[in-house]
Amino acid sequence: MSIKYKLGNYRSKLRNAGCIEVSINRRRSGEDDGAGPSLKRAKRGEINYVPDHPDTHTDDSLEEERLALVEELKKRNKNVALMKQEMEVTFSLRRKEIVELVPMVSEVQERWPALFYEAEIREEFLRLTNKDLIDNFRAAINQHTPRLLKLYRARRTAFPPEMDQLLNRLDEEATDPEEEQTKGLIVGILTVLEDDDSSASATVINVAVVVEEDIVLQDLPDLPTAFAYLFGLIYALNLQYPKELRYTFETIQKVFMGLGTDLSARVRSLKNKLLQ
């Protein structure tokens, strides 16, 4: 209890000093009578959920940096180093907007187009979690996939017939028009196959990431890379996990990426089986 009260006093001092993240926690708990809607708690291992602005910077000065970044992206020959630098400087403003205002993804694309570049998704994930998105995800895939496939095959009768096709052809997807495939899709991965009936096995010509029915990233090399970038965008855009896939994403977050230790019973059981 002594530690609890000391931490409470420390949070009060931080809040009075203007610490943004502590103020957001106060709004979330309903302590601030003038607060807007409740805000989602950071539960995914974010070490920089809503950081304070850099020294000497304000909302107005960071907005000027953002506008300069947007103008740079309009150039034919973009200065990649400058883009990375501006994204680093404006990180606090971007997180404040995304967490407090909860904008639509299309609005984020308009204000922060650089956030949807592959390199910047990785950088944003690193800023949020201090982990490399692609390297950590691929290492986890290599570690867990063989055991995971064995577990699926051992219980194949518990899954619908489609699971057999997935296990035999992990890269098989529908070839309907993209607009139909993305309709109603909050987050997902779209695989476009070559329309060639004479081929025994269709050729993948495009792998894309879909958020809020829009393709936000495409021409990715493979499904693992696409899923990793999708996971990174969920962090960068502060999106909720889809309810029907919450255990899948919890497994990726806490077992594969090592972000958090408070596992649900279902995910803990799977983790124990994977590590046997």
Side-chain angles (χ1 to χ4, degrees):
M1 291 302 295
S2 175
I3 292 175
K4 178 180 178 181
Y5 287 128
K6 286 180 179 179
L7 288 174
N9 292 333
Y10 179 57
R11 285 194 297 271
S12 296
K13 292 179 180 179
L14 289 175
R15 185 165 54 245
N16 293 334
C19 179
I20 297 176
E21 189 160 348
V22 177
S23 299
I24 284 179
N25 288 336
R26 190 182 188 197
R27 286 181 54 188
R28 186 184 296 114
S29 63
E31 297 174 23
D32 191 348
D33 295 335
S38 60
L39 299 172
K40 180 171 64 66
R41 182 183 178 188
K43 296 182 179 179
R44 301 191 298 239
E46 293 110 325
I47 60 173
N48 288 310
Y49 187 55
V50 189
D52 293 321
H53 290 335
D55 294 341
T56 74
H57 275 292
T58 64
D59 283 1
D60 292 338
S61 66
L62 290 176
E63 176 64 13
E64 292 178 4
E65 298 282 354
R66 185 194 70 80
L67 292 173
L69 175 60
V70 172
E71 289 302 315
E72 180 63 32
L73 290 175
K74 294 178 181 178
K75 298 178 181 178
R76 181 183 298 273
N77 297 319
K78 302 173 181 59
N79 187 329
V80 177
L82 178 61
M83 181 173 72
K84 180 178 179 180
Q85 177 184 327
E86 294 285 14
M87 285 292 286
E88 181 72 34
V89 170
T90 56
F91 176 58
S92 59
L93 177 64
R94 188 164 54 256
R95 291 303 297 174
K96 182 180 179 182
E97 289 182 7
I98 289 174
V99 173
E100 291 189 352
L101 302 180
V102 195
M104 297 290 291
V105 173
S106 57
E107 296 174 303
V108 180
Q109 281 185 292
E110 183 177 351
R111 283 185 57 79
W112 302 98
L115 185 59
F116 295 85
Y117 282 60
E118 295 174 29
E120 283 307 319
I121 294 174
R122 294 181 67 167
E123 290 294 333
E124 195 81 348
F125 190 81
L126 183 63
R127 295 181 192 108
L128 285 165
T129 67
N130 202 30
K131 284 181 178 285
D132 185 280
L133 174 64
I134 300 300
D135 290 349
N136 279 270
F137 186 75
R138 286 194 174 279
I141 287 288
N142 292 334
Q143 177 184 355
H144 295 299
T145 294
R147 180 63 181 163
L148 188 59
L149 291 177
K150 287 182 181 179
L151 291 173
Y152 273 127
R153 287 192 170 95
R155 298 190 57 203
R156 64 195 314 156
T157 57
F159 298 99
E162 290 78 11
M163 182 57 71
D164 281 336
Q165 300 175 18
L166 183 62
L167 291 173
N168 293 328
R169 297 182 59 188
L170 295 177
D171 62 345
E172 185 172 52
E173 293 286 350
T175 58
D176 293 340
E178 293 179 0
E179 293 81 4
E180 293 298 320
Q181 289 299 306
T182 61
K183 187 178 297 183
L185 194 60
I186 299 175
V187 296
I189 297 172
L190 177 68
T191 301
V192 181
L193 305 180
E194 188 176 33
D195 189 11
D196 184 1
D197 295 334
S198 64
S199 176
S201 59
T203 301
V204 176
I205 59 175
N206 190 10
V207 180
V209 171
V210 179
V211 180
E212 292 183 357
E213 299 188 353
D214 290 330
I215 294 176
V216 298
L217 206 62
Q218 57 183 322
D219 297 324
L220 299 172
D222 50 49
L223 284 172
T225 301
F227 194 97
Y229 280 121
L230 172 61
F231 188 72
L233 279 170
I234 287 175
Y235 272 70
L237 300 172
N238 200 40
L239 300 175
Q240 297 273 18
Y241 293 151
K243 185 177 181 180
E244 64 275 13
L245 296 173
R246 63 188 184 279
Y247 294 117
T248 299
F249 281 106
E250 183 188 348
T251 299
I252 298 300
Q253 174 199 329
K254 298 178 180 178
V255 179
F256 282 43
M257 301 296 288
L259 294 167
T261 57
D262 185 18
L263 279 63
S264 64
R266 185 176 297 187
V267 173
R268 184 181 298 109
S269 175
L270 175 59
K271 179 180 179 180
N272 292 337
K273 292 176 181 178
L274 287 174
L275 300 179
Q276 283 179 354

